[in-house]
Amino acid sequence: MGLPPAQEALAQMSAQRAPGASLAQPAAKARVVILATGGTIAGAGASAANSATYQAAKVPVDKLLASVPELANVAQVRGEQVFQIASESFTDAQLLQLGKRVSALSKQADVDGIVITHGTDTLEETAYFLNLTVHTSKPVVVVGSMRPGTALSADGALNLYNAVATAASPTAGGKGVLVVMNDEIHTGRDVSKSINVRTEAFKSPWGALGMAVEGQTYWFRAPVKRHTVHSEFDIDHIDHLPQVEIAYGYGNASPTAYQAFAASGAKALIHAGTGNGSVSSAVVPALRELRAKGIHIIRSSRVVGGGFVIRNAEQPDDQYDWIVAHDLNPQKARILAALALTKTNDAQVIQRIFMDY
């Protein structure tokens, strides 16, 4: 009695194979380094019911990776503990340290992608800083979670899995620094935390770049602003960031905060204005005086998402030698202003930088 048809076909294929030949080996998995900095993704609550009340930055990177064994299905992974802090405590010095480590790893032949685990409070600032300063086309992904791993319906494990899968994907290369949260892939340039207690907290005013689903990446658009290898800022040559501060616009505002920041040594002030970066008539004279003393005034908006500050609307920026932040929110405007000041003190050049990035 002969073999069943399927087994007979396999036997014929085996017989036709050249002597000494072997079946094709699966492609080697991408090598991804995870840099841990703390945050909620490394947090722990007192009980499973604590999704919003917990201690951040408690779980070390080795335990974090061990809690998601499925990572081995999408990449060869190793981890480093860079910091163990809640992200609201991130300083400029730590931004520089992290950026230099990412840059150094990106130059290694045995590293195909990098993931940074991060607290969500300032995740968008770190992602934008890396997007502006790390000269690599390799995938760099920043990820966090809105709930600690001890909580019911914790989101950190899946976020981390999706981040590693994205960093391991060749399709993620050349798109700048990415943020992966809640199955969505965002550009670090646009994304911001817009909700403080739900897993769909991170949104981009111009939309996500794509999605990460079951270890696969799906893309729908690409960034157009300058980033990474096309940036004029290089983390390898930056050791200090000038002081830039943010003052909030509101009804009944006074110039007190602006004047205090200037007295403390600020080189530029981000005005988080109402509407189109509007400035109260009670504040305008003080800002003009500060600009005359050499302090840059940058009009941003406190309005969340989907718009941008128009130059010479609301205020005569050309006349006052002020700058507009375009569509960057105040916290991202602070990052770009500090980097711009490492290159120039010319307001027109800084304005060009805000339009390019």
Side-chain angles (χ1 to χ4, degrees), residues 31-47:
R31 297 155 296 184
V32 174
V33 177
I34 297 179
L35 300 179
T37 70
T40 300
I41 197 168
S47 77

Side-chain angles (χ1 to χ4, degrees), residues 283-336:
V283 174
V284 169
L287 296 190
R288 293 190 67 185
E289 181 180 345
L290 292 175
R291 180 67 194 109
K293 294 179 179 179
I295 298 169
H296 289 286
I297 306 301
I298 302 169
R299 293 196 301 117
S300 182
S301 177
R302 71 183 199 183
V303 177
V304 177
F308 51 91
V309 176
I310 301 171
R311 188 168 177 81
N312 295 313
E314 301 292 345
Q315 294 295 327
D317 299 298
D318 289 345
Q319 179 184 338
Y320 294 167
D321 200 30
W322 290 357
I323 298 159
V324 298
H326 196 42
D327 67 324
L328 293 178
N329 63 27
Q331 55 269 35
K332 291 195 177 187
R334 185 192 77 85
I335 295 290
L336 184 55

Side-chain angles (χ1 to χ4, degrees), residues 17-267:
R17 196 182 308 138
S22 61
L23 291 173
Q25 296 299 312
K29 291 186 177 69
R31 297 155 296 184
V32 174
V33 177
I34 297 179
L35 300 179
T37 70
T40 300
I41 197 168
S47 77
N50 292 124
S51 63
T53 306
Y54 53 86
Q55 287 187 303
K58 290 296 180 183
V59 181
V61 65
D62 55 343
K63 291 187 177 180
L64 184 63
L65 300 190
S67 70
V68 192
E70 293 81 5
L71 295 176
N73 297 332
V74 292
Q76 299 178 48
V77 175
R78 61 183 175 88
E80 294 181 16
Q81 192 77 51
V82 184
F83 310 118
Q84 188 66 292
I85 58 175
S87 70
E88 68 269 19
S89 297
F90 247 75
T91 65
D92 286 352
Q94 287 165 327
L95 273 181
L96 292 167
Q97 181 181 340
L98 177 62
K100 289 180 184 295
R101 184 58 185 144
V102 173
S103 178
L105 284 168
S106 72
K107 294 178 173 64
Q108 293 183 196
D110 63 345
V111 175
D112 299 308
I114 300 166
V115 170
I116 300 104
T117 62
H118 200 288
T120 58
D121 280 358
T122 60
L123 184 152
E124 67 198 77
E125 296 167 57
T126 296
Y128 188 43
F129 177 78
L130 298 174
N131 192 59
L132 292 168
T133 60
V134 178
H135 284 208
T136 184
S137 59
K138 293 180 180 180
V140 178
V141 180
V142 188
V143 65
S145 72
M146 294 303 297
R147 296 171 178 166
T150 52
L152 296 170
S153 300
D155 56 326
L158 182 56
N159 285 349
L160 182 58
Y161 177 81
N162 285 336
V164 170
T166 302
S169 173
T171 65
K175 291 182 171 65
V177 174
L178 305 170
V179 171
V180 174
M181 295 280 292
N182 199 45
D183 298 341
E184 294 181 332
I185 306 171
H186 296 266
T187 167
R189 193 263 180 194
D190 292 349
V191 75
S192 288
K193 184 177 181 178
S194 60
I195 306 169
N196 70 329
V197 292
R198 298 209 299 266
T199 56
E200 69 272 27
F202 280 76
K203 301 295 181 183
S204 296
W206 314 118
L209 300 184
M211 295 190 69
V213 180
E214 295 186 351
Q216 299 294 319
T217 55
Y218 301 87
W219 305 94
F220 303 101
R221 71 180 188 93
V224 297
K225 295 288 187 176
R226 290 175 64 178
H227 60 74
T228 53
V229 294
H230 301 295
S231 175
E232 62 202 271
F233 311 109
D234 187 345
I235 188 63
D236 294 339
H237 303 292
I238 302 172
D239 296 311
H240 172 75
L241 292 176
Q243 181 183 347
V244 178
E245 303 288 356
I246 302 171
Y248 206 77
Y250 53 93
N252 200 47
S254 80
T256 303
Y258 306 88
Q259 293 164 335
F261 281 139
S264 74
K267 305 302 181 185

